[in-house]
């Protein structure tokens, strides 16, 4: 019961790492399916992932960095977590391909487009096209087995064209032109281009038509570049004023007393209440239903998330349910039904119920009171094995609660700092970066579901379908953007402040992570693991620096 508040036109794609051109529909990408015996591999096989990230969705553990920095709570070891911070070393991918000397200069015009995208208009003169044509002819002469001619020996051009096909030679020439000239065209964005974001958008048919008529080529390239981070105010991260709101429930003293009370209750037994109604301290079993309150009865609608059969309710946990619910059922007896109106507060976690007025109907199915032993030193060993007095129990539990309080306080501090950073940065996010981060977050959620409940193959296929992923990208757009802004901000601070960490620490954490992969018999990419580890180490350094330089105020709520 949710009463508790908590079109097909071909384009050419170019890979800087391999200098290979491939003819692909614009809606597709070079992709592969990860496969392994683990549940994460099963999920990866449903989500089509780009090759550079094949081994990305696997667990990453850092033995010395247990604090979670992300907006989202990172899942347990079965769940892969995307790298929290964009590594300064892994952000930019230049088209570092050796440039072949051209017989003439090409003309390149650069235009800025939205989403950190640059459009390059490239004019290739006839001299370059002729040079590529002659090279193609030489290659075909070497490899083509023309009847009547020895392999590799001179073949008249007219005979070669007739044998190979003029159109095939033309296509090969155009591909040669693109391969030779693209590295030169990319010079202006060298060191800024994002990996696998370079796309020749001119249709191949248009290239063929232009080459046939003028013996020259003009094509356009879209490339996404590393987004520029703008701070408002400039260097605002240097003097943060952070207010950290701490939940009173994490206070060590409060948590300690609650834990002692929980353990004491566990030592008692429940007995049936016979001659009275519900009072604080009792435990009851309820059937609950709710409808919206409207002008006419026919307009009332059921509220499924507020309905429950056999709901076990401990009245000492009244603060966990809808405000007013406990007060409305005080005095109810076994077998009795009560009906009463309540309003969902504007702060309710389910947005669709905020401010909704509801009519609740509650039937008391069972009613129990606790028969607990007196809380004294005789219960010490039962409350906490090894203790002989209540004071020892309290001291030991308080120490543990203080450790938990400190970790929760540190986490709350980090979250508050990161929240301020996100508000200070402005960035034009490339679409490919948005989609990659979104898919990583979505797969992490799927794996979390898979880890908590075994999904059937058809359920898995449905949840990991392109439609489901795209719906998530649209629905969680704002959250994905905030995560990216956070990551980029942290990476920028790391570079600005010339921060470093030791090579020994990096090597150690990489090895620890690899051991985790081996333990769970999962595939991994060591280079990718190194990038992730480096990103997290950078994030840890930045947060440590920010905590030292920020003015932090803690407020208990």
């Amino acid at each position: 019961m949710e009463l508790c508040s908590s079109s097909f036109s071909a384009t050419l794609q170019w890979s800087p790492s391999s200098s290979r051109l491939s003819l692909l529909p614009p809606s597709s990408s070079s992709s592969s399916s990860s496969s392994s015996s683990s549940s994460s591999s099963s999920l990866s096989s449903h989500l089509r992932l780009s090759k550079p990230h094949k081994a990305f969705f696997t667990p990453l553990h850092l033995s010395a960095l247990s604090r979670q920095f992300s907006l989202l709570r990172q899942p347990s070891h079965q769940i892969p977590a995307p790298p929290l911070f964009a590594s300064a070393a892994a952000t930019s991918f230049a088209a570092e391909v050796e440039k072949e000397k051209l017989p003439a200069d090409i003309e390149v015009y650069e235009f800025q487009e939205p989403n950190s995208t640059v459009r390059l208009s490239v004019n290739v003169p006839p001299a370059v096209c002729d040079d590529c044509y002659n090279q193609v002819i030489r290659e075909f002469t070497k490899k083509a087995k023309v009847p009547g001619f020895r392999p590799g020996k001179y073949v008249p051009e007219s005979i070669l064209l007739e044998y190979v096909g003029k159109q095939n030679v033309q296509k090969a020439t155009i591909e040669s032109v693109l391969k030779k000239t693209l590295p030169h065209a990319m010079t202006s964005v060298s060191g800024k281009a994002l990996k696998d974001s370079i796309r020749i958008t001119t249709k191949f048919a248009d290239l063929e038509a232009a080459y046939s008529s003028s013996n020259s080529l003009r094509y356009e390239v879209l490339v996404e570049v590393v987004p520029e981070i703008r701070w408002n105010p400039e260097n605002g991260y240097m003097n943060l004023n952070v207010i950290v709101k701490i939940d009173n429930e994490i206070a060590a003293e409060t948590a300690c007393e609650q834990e002692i009370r929980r353990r004491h209750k566990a030592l008692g037994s429940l007995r049936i209440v016979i001659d009275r109604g519900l009072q604080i301290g009792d435990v009851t079993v309820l059937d609950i239903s709710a409808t919206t309150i409207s002008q006419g009865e026919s307009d009332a609608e059921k509220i499924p998330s507020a309905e429950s059969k056999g709901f076990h309710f401990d009245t000492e946990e009244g603060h966990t349910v809808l405000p007013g619910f406990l007060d409305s059922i005080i005095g109810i007896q076994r077998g009795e039904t009560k009906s009463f109106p309540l309003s969902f507060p504007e702060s309710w976690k389910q947005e669709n119920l905020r401010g909704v007025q509801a009519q609740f109907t509650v039937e008391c199915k069972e009613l129990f009171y606790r028969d607990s032993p007196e809380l004294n030193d005789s219960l010490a060993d039962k409350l906490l094995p090894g203790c002989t007095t209540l004071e020892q129990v309290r001291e030991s539990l308080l120490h543990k609660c203080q450790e938990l309080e400190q970790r929760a306080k540190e986490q709350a501090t980090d979250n508050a700092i990161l929240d301020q950073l996100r508000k200070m940065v402005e960035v034009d996010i490339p679409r490919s970066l948005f989609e990659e981060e979104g898919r990583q977050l979505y797969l992490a959620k799927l794996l979390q579901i898979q880890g908590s409940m075994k999904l059937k193959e058809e359920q898995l296929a449905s949840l990991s379908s392109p439609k489901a992923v795209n719906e998530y990208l649209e629905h969680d757009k704002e959250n994905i953007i905030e995560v990216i802004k956070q990551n980029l901000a942290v990476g920028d601070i790391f570079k600005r402040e010339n921060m470093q960490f030791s090579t020994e620490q990096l090597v150690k954490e990489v090895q620890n992570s690899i051991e985790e992969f081996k333990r769970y018999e999962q595939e991994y990419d060591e280079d990718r693991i190194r990038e992730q580890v480096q990103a997290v180490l950078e994030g840890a350094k930045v947060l440590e620096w920010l905590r030292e330089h920020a003015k932090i105020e803690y407020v208990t709520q």
Side-chain angles (χ1 to χ4, degrees), residues 15 41 56 170 242 333 347 387 404 478 527-528 556:
S15 170
S41 300
F56 187 79
Q170 180 175 280
V242 182
Q333 296 190 14
S347 59
C387 294
L404 292 173
E478 294 303 319
D527 291 337
R528 189 59 176 160
T556 303

Side-chain angles (χ1 to χ4, degrees), residues 33 137 220 273 324 364 372 393 415 433 449:
S33 297
I137 290 296
E220 291 197 343
V273 174
C364 179
S372 301
V393 173
N415 288 342
L433 182 58
I449 295 173

Side-chain angles (χ1 to χ4, degrees), residues 305-513:
S305 60
E307 295 187 355
S308 181
K309 295 286 187 181
F311 175 56
H312 288 248
F313 179 42
D314 185 342
T315 55
E316 292 188 354
E317 304 294 329
H319 62 283
T320 64
V321 297
L322 184 66
F325 181 83
L326 175 57
D327 292 339
S328 299
I329 63 171
I330 289 295
I332 193 172
Q333 296 190 14
R334 184 172 179 270
E336 183 182 357
T337 298
K338 280 191 174 185
S339 184
F340 48 88
L342 287 177
S343 295
F344 288 88
E346 292 297 333
S347 59
W348 196 249
K349 65 175 182 178
Q350 291 176 273
E351 294 183 14
N352 64 315
L353 292 179
R354 292 174 183 172
V356 171
Q357 293 186 324
Q359 186 70 27
F360 282 84
T361 300
V362 177
E363 180 183 358
C364 179
K365 308 296 288 187
E366 300 289 349
L367 183 58
F368 305 95
Y369 70 92
R370 280 197 178 84
D371 185 8
S372 301
E374 183 181 352
L375 185 60
N376 53 40
D377 290 346
S378 65
L379 296 181
D381 187 61
K382 294 180 180 179
L383 294 171
L384 189 63
C387 294
T388 57
T389 66
L390 284 179
E391 188 61 28
Q392 288 181 344
V393 173
R394 187 169 279 104
E395 288 179 0
S396 180
L397 291 178
L398 180 60
H399 178 70
K400 293 179 180 179
C401 290
Q402 286 171 337
E403 292 179 345
L404 292 173
E405 178 186 25
Q406 182 61 29
R407 287 201 294 268
K409 190 175 181 179
E410 290 173 349
Q411 179 66 72
T413 302
D414 290 346
N415 288 342
I417 290 174
L418 292 172
D419 186 53
Q420 282 217 17
L421 291 184
R422 291 192 296 271
K423 294 175 181 178
M424 286 183 173
V425 297
E426 299 174 3
V427 60
D428 198 15
I429 299 174
R431 181 64 187 179
S432 63
L433 182 58
F434 169 81
E435 291 183 349
E436 178 184 349
E437 185 71 30
R439 285 187 171 88
Q440 292 165 3
L441 293 172
Y442 182 67
L443 184 54
K445 286 192 172 185
L446 281 189
L447 290 170
Q448 189 171 19
I449 295 173
Q450 179 75 338
S452 60
M453 55 182 290
K454 185 64 176 177
L455 295 176
K456 296 181 180 179
E457 189 68 20
E458 56 269 23
Q459 292 175 311
L460 201 56
S462 176
L463 288 172
S464 54
S465 67
K467 179 182 178 182
V469 175
N470 290 332
E471 286 177 352
Y472 171 80
L473 293 178
E474 183 61 32
H475 182 268
D476 264 38
K477 181 178 180 180
E478 294 303 319
N479 180 59
I480 296 169
I481 289 174
E482 291 302 301
V483 171
I484 294 173
K485 287 171 65 177
Q486 167 188 298
N487 296 351
L488 293 174
V490 170
D492 190 54
I493 295 172
F494 188 86
K495 289 185 291 184
R496 283 176 175 235
E497 300 302 324
N498 297 314
M499 298 182 189
Q500 295 180 345
F501 49 81
S502 68
T503 302
E504 292 78 8
Q505 186 179 10
L506 176 62
V507 171
K508 177 183 176 181
E509 297 296 354
V510 168
Q511 283 301 120
N512 290 338
S513 297

Side-chain angles (χ1 to χ4, degrees), residues 90-132:
T91 303
S92 173
F93 300 91
E96 298 295 347
V97 176
E98 185 178 349
K99 301 182 182 70
E100 296 184 46
K101 187 175 181 179
L102 301 178
D105 292 334
I106 61 174
E107 295 179 340
V108 182
Y109 301 93
E110 183 177 317
F111 305 91
Q112 297 298 320
E113 300 285 345
N115 305 118
S116 295
T117 301
V118 175
R119 176 165 57 89
L120 302 175
S121 181
V122 186
N123 293 332
V124 183
V128 175
C129 294
D130 289 342
D131 182 65
C132 291

Side-chain angles (χ1 to χ4, degrees), residues 234-246:
E234 181 66 27
N235 297 325
Y237 66 87
M238 291 183 173
N239 300 292
L240 294 178
N241 290 311
V242 182
I243 297 178
V244 184
K245 296 181 180 180
I246 303 295

